[in-house]
Amino acid sequence: MNDAATNTDTGGTPADDEAARWQAARQLGRDHPRWVVIWLARASEYRAYALFRTRATVLAAPTPQELASEMERIEQAAPAWGTARPRLNRSYVGLAAFIALSWDFVV
């Protein structure tokens, strides 16, 4: 079985591994609501798309921990929710929604 938190394969089926990675991406997105997070299987990495203005609008990492660390670093440098009205980067929101919906049809 795959441990999504450490991204280590322990012998589960490929479908189980993918499901665990998508679950880790969903959890990361819930933990960081200013980001859309996906698992990109072909690149074997997690990607996060910022929903606020920042220089680093797209982040990528092989593990959820590494991505969370980068997201937190960017969030600390960006204005807080209450100090400036965040501007949604709608192109990334649409892309992430399209990928999420497409994934449901593949599974």
Side-chain angles (χ1 to χ4, degrees):
M1 183 110 178
N2 178 40
D3 180 6
T6 59
N7 205 18
T8 355
D9 186 12
T10 57
T13 67
D16 290 342
D17 293 345
E18 284 299 306
R21 288 181 173 103
W22 274 104
Q23 179 59 36
R26 281 191 293 276
Q27 183 60 49
L28 204 51
R30 283 191 294 270
D31 293 345
H32 298 274
R34 297 177 74 185
W35 299 84
V36 173
V37 181
I38 63 169
W39 162 250
L40 193 60
R42 287 186 179 179
S44 296
E45 65 186 15
Y46 293 89
R47 288 204 182 155
Y49 300 88
L51 297 176
F52 57 97
R53 285 192 181 255
T54 180
R55 289 183 186 213
T57 53
V58 180
L59 301 175
T63 66
Q65 297 85 359
E66 290 177 57
L67 188 59
S69 176
E70 283 298 305
M71 291 163 63
E72 288 163 6
R73 183 181 63 79
I74 298 297
E75 287 172 347
Q76 289 172 359
W81 276 107
T83 60
R85 186 169 180 226
R87 295 181 54 126
L88 294 180
N89 191 334
R90 296 188 192 290
S91 61
Y92 290 128
V93 173
L95 172 65
F98 172 76
I99 291 170
L101 291 173
S102 298
W103 176 254
D104 289 338
F105 291 112
V106 173
V107 176

